[in-house]
Each structure stands twice: as C-alpha cells, then as structure tokens.
C-alpha cells in the first residue's frame, strides 16, 4: 500500500498530464524538499526559486501564451497542488504560488495595458504578486471591507489596512480590494486596484505564525497611497464578483493540496510503523495500528474523489454556478477535515518522533489550521454552501 504512488486515473489524467507530473515531481524532489527544514527555520526561502519554477513552466501554467503562460486545464492545476504537497511544507507552496490568486482578477477583468505590465514578469518569476482582501476586523468578508480608495484626478487615494497577506512583504504587485463608493453598503461599491509595492505610503509588517514559517505573510497599511486610475481592474464599484469567482478556484486548489498533505502523513506513518519493532514484530502488524492506517486511507480517498469529480464538473460545465460554488466549499471542508484527521493520527503513530522537528507529519500538523481557515473557515463555507443550494 504505497498511497502516494497510486496509479493515475485515466479518465481524469492523460499521458500528457502524467508527463508534466513526472517533471514537476523531479523538480520538487531536487530543488525544494531537501531544503524545507532549513527554509522553515530561516522563515524564508530564496527568491531565485520563483525563476526556477518559471523555467519549468509552473508559474505560467494555465495562462495565455501571449503573456508568457502555458495553456493547461484544471487537472494540471490539481497536479501542482498534489506534487507540491510532497515536500510537506505548505509555506513554500503558499508563497511561490501566491500569483495564482493575485493574477486571475487581472487576467479576467484588467485592461490590456495592466495585463501586459503585470502578468508577464510575474509568470517569468522576475516579479511577485499578492492578493490583498482580508482586513483586521472582517476576515474574508469582502462585502464589508473598510479600505477606501477616493478618486482624486487621475489617481485614487487609498487608506486602510490588510492582514494575513501571503507574499505581502515581497510583492511587487498587490491586487487589492478597496471600497470606491462608501455611500453604498455591502457588496456594491467594491473595486479592484493593483497597487505597486513601492508606492509611497505603503508600509508592511511581517507576521509570525503557527505554521507556514517560510511563507512571507504580512500586515499592510495604506496611508494616503496615490494609485493611478490606470491601475483599476474592471469596472469601478463592480469588483465584488471578481473576488468571489477567485475564491472558488482557491478553495479547489487548497482542497487538492489538503488531500496531498494528508497522503504524506499516511505515507510517513506507514513507513514508520513498518520499521518500528515492538515485541519482535513491526508496529504495522498490530490490529489497532492497521485500523488507523485504513481510517486515514478511506478519508483521503473520499475527499480526493470529491475534488476530482468537482474539477471534472467545472471543466465540463456540468452543474449550475451556484452548485459549483457549494461543491467547492464542501470539497475544501471535506479535504481539510481529512487532513486534520490524518495529521493527528500520523503524529500519534510516530509517537515521540512525531513531536520532533524534522518529521513531515510534525510540520503538517502545525499547518493544518491555516488550511482549514484559509479561503474561508469551515463554518463560513458550510453556511455559504447551504445558501447556494437554497437550504
């Protein structure tokens, strides 16, 4: 039972998919996995990794060739999530792939000028992009954000704060949710601005975290930042839907990654219990241990089946938009609950070693909660799914 080496499912993954997977797996094994302990302790990783990933085609996956991208389908994105999980360090994946939530609003709704200025250098790994939505008092509640952008000639003057921003310290471009019409409550009056990292009045504070230690996470403060009107993405006051669509893909990616991380926990627990001798026999031969391993397996299989089915439905437009939103929410809930269970069981089976830095399960155990909170907590997602389904 080598879970991580299970054969591909041909109705989802073609030979081309598997060729891409093999190249990415080799890259991660060579360029990332040997260094994650060092990077985690240093609370950073080399900026040069962005360009190395770009050379492999990872950064531009799914983007048009006109901007330096490589056309790809949704299952290529799932492969990225699954293979990055193998290094057992969510912080690397979070920061290295922050452009995957920062660029889609620009690609979807931005002017050709802003697309050309921002997207190519990010996909080439020369620049870093971040998404700034979350605020200190409102979490991911976009409809009630307070950061304001007031029009002043050919600029907006931006004042406010954002927090928990992945790549917030390093980002050269920050795709930011702002309120451009304070007279309109709720979702109306929200706009999307690209704020350059060197804009006067922008200050950044690094945040220390339970997990994702090597991920760059920041609190941002905008104090009279003058942002050109040309940096507006889409229509003024009509940015809410852009962000909502963005959340759906983020949740699917996180669900796939959670399945991958849970699989890493299962594999490490399996390897350990096979090697660990107790009273002359391998720990894996104890019935209670075998039950734990199978409990982990069935949870991963169930969550992954939900993720793959959802990806297929999205790719083939086989459900109404509201249903897809609900399924994305529930897939993330199911997958992160499976991750939580598997990380806990793996640490338990490893015993004292599970409490030691250097084991994959120890790091993943610390990172479980950010996976369960990021993109919307399970309480928020269950409520959103229920409303989408008319419950």
């Amino acid at each position: 039972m080598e879970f991580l080496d299970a054969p591909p499912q041909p109705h989802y993954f073609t030979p081309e998919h598997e060729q891409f997977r093999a190249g990415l797996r080799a890259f991660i094994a060579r360029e990332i996995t040997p260094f994650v302990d060092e990077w985690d302790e240093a609370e950073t990783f080399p900026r040069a990794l962005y360009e190395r990933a770009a050379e492999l085609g990872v950064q531009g996956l799914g983007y048009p060739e006109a901007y330096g991208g490589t056309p790809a389908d949704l299952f290529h994105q799932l492969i990225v999530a699954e293979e990055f999980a193998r290094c057992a360090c969510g912080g690397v994946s979070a920061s290295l792939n922050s452009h995957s939530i920062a660029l889609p609003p620009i690609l979807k709704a931005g002017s050709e000028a802003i697309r050309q200025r921002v997207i190519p250098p990010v996909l080439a790994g020369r620049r870093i992009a971040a998404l700034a939505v979350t605020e200190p008092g409102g979490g991911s509640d976009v409809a009630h954000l307070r950061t304001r952008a007031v029009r002043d000639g050919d600029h907006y003057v931006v004042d406010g704060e954002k927090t928990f921003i992945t790549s917030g310290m390093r980002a050269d471009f920050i795709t930011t949710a702002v309120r451009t019409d304070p007279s309109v409550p709720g979702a109306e009056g929200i706009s999307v601005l690209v704020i350059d990292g060197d804009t006067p009045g922008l200050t950044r504070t690094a945040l220390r975290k339970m997990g994702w230690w090597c991920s760059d996470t920041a609190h941002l403060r905008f104090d009279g930042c003058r942002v050109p009107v040309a940096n507006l993405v889409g229509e003024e006051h009509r940015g809410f839907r852009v962000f909502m669509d963005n959340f759906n893909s983020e949740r699917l990616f996180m669900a796939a990654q959670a399945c991958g991380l849970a699989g890493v926990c299962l594999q490490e627990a399996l390897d350990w219990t096979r090697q660990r001798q107790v009273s002359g026999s391998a720990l894996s031969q104890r019935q209670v241990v075998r039950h734990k391993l199978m409990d982990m397996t069935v949870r991963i299989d169930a969550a992954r089946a939900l993720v793959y089915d959802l990806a297929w439905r999205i790719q083939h437009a086989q459900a109404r938009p509201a249903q897809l939103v609900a399924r994305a929410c529930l897939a993330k809930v199911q997958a992160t609950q499976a991750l939580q269970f598997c990380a806990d069981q793996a640490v338990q089976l490893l015993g004292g070693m599970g409490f030691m830095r250097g084991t994959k399960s120890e790091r993943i155990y610390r990172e479980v909660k950010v996976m369960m909170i990021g993109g919307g907590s399970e309480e928020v997602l269950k409520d959103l799914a229920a409303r989408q389904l008319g419950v």
Side-chain angles (χ1 to χ4, degrees), residues 115-391:
R115 289 176 183 173
Q116 290 288 354
R117 187 168 75 86
V118 173
I119 298 177
V122 172
L123 299 188
R126 298 192 304 272
R127 295 289 184 270
I128 297 172
L131 179 73
V133 175
T134 302
E135 297 190 347
S140 298
D141 186 1
V142 184
H144 295 92
L145 64 84
R146 297 182 178 180
T147 297
R148 293 190 175 187
V150 179
R151 183 74 177 261
D152 181 26
D154 58 357
H155 286 77
Y156 290 100
V157 179
V158 180
D159 292 279
E161 296 177 82
K162 301 290 181 180
T163 197
F164 313 141
I165 307 306
T166 301
S167 294
M169 294 300 295
R170 288 177 165 183
D172 302 288
F173 305 112
I174 306 169
T175 306
T176 310
V178 296
R179 185 170 295 281
T180 46
D181 188 352
S183 67
V184 181
E188 300 299 324
I190 305 293
S191 297
V192 186
L193 286 181
V194 174
I195 300 180
D196 288 25
D198 59 359
T199 301
L202 168 61
T203 56
R204 322 186 200 202
T205 304
L207 299 176
R208 297 175 64 84
K209 311 173 293 295
M210 177 192 298
W212 281 9
W213 291 352
C214 67
S215 174
D216 159 11
T217 310
H219 183 102
L220 308 180
R221 182 177 179 84
F222 305 99
D223 186 9
C225 294
R226 295 185 64 82
V227 180
V229 171
N231 285 23
L232 177 69
V233 175
E235 294 183 60
E236 190 178 52
H237 315 323
R238 295 291 183 269
F240 180 79
R241 176 49 58 188
V242 174
F243 288 113
M244 291 302 98
D245 292 342
N246 209 40
F247 279 133
N248 292 332
S249 59
E250 178 185 8
R251 289 161 185 158
L252 179 62
F253 186 91
M254 292 187 73
Q257 186 177 33
C259 291
L261 291 167
V264 170
C265 291
L266 170 58
Q267 191 69 61
E268 187 170 52
L270 175 62
D271 293 342
W272 174 261
T273 57
R274 281 175 168 172
Q275 298 167 15
R276 181 71 166 169
Q277 296 289 313
V278 177
S279 300
S281 63
L283 190 59
S284 61
Q285 297 306 304
R286 300 297 179 93
Q287 186 181 56
V288 66
V289 172
R290 294 161 74 87
H291 285 186
K292 286 178 181 291
L293 293 171
M294 292 304 99
D295 286 341
M296 295 164 73
T297 299
V298 73
R299 282 171 168 79
I300 296 168
D301 282 353
R304 180 163 282 150
L306 185 59
V307 170
Y308 286 170
D309 177 72
L310 172 60
W312 187 91
R313 289 173 182 272
I314 293 173
Q315 189 155 288
H316 296 278
Q318 292 297 307
R320 298 193 307 273
Q323 291 177 324
L324 295 178
V325 170
R327 282 176 173 269
C329 291
L330 297 179
K332 181 185 177 276
V333 170
Q334 181 78 5
T336 53
Q337 286 181 348
L339 171 59
Q340 182 182 44
F341 178 85
C342 292
D344 180 74
Q345 293 299 303
V347 170
Q348 188 73 19
L349 288 170
L350 266 65
M353 283 304 300
F355 195 64
M356 297 295 106
R357 292 190 190 176
T359 61
K360 295 177 179 179
S361 297
E362 181 272 335
R363 181 186 294 109
I364 292 171
Y365 189 90
R366 287 189 278 105
E367 296 181 349
V368 164
K369 276 303 174 184
V370 71
M371 294 293 292
M372 300 187 80
I373 294 169
S377 68
E378 64 179 73
E379 296 83 2
V380 169
L381 296 186
K382 288 177 181 177
D383 184 65
L384 175 57
R387 285 188 279 114
Q388 294 295 316
L389 296 175
V391 176

Side-chain angles (χ1 to χ4, degrees), residues 60-112:
L61 198 68
Y63 290 88
E65 293 182 38
Y67 304 113
T70 304
D73 66 9
L74 198 52
F75 284 94
H76 282 94
Q77 299 292 344
L78 297 190
I79 289 172
V80 171
E82 291 174 343
E83 293 304 317
F84 266 96
R86 285 176 170 265
C87 75
C89 186
V92 172
S93 179
S95 284
L96 191 63
N97 294 301
S98 65
H99 69 291
S100 68
I101 54 175
L103 295 187
I106 300 172
L107 180 63
K108 179 179 180 179
S111 66
E112 185 59 23

Side-chain angles (χ1 to χ4, degrees), residues 29-44:
R30 181 181 67 252
E31 302 280 349
I32 297 177
T33 303
F35 310 107
V36 292
D37 289 331
E38 174 188 341
W39 294 346
D40 236 17
E41 295 295 340
E43 299 186 356
T44 189

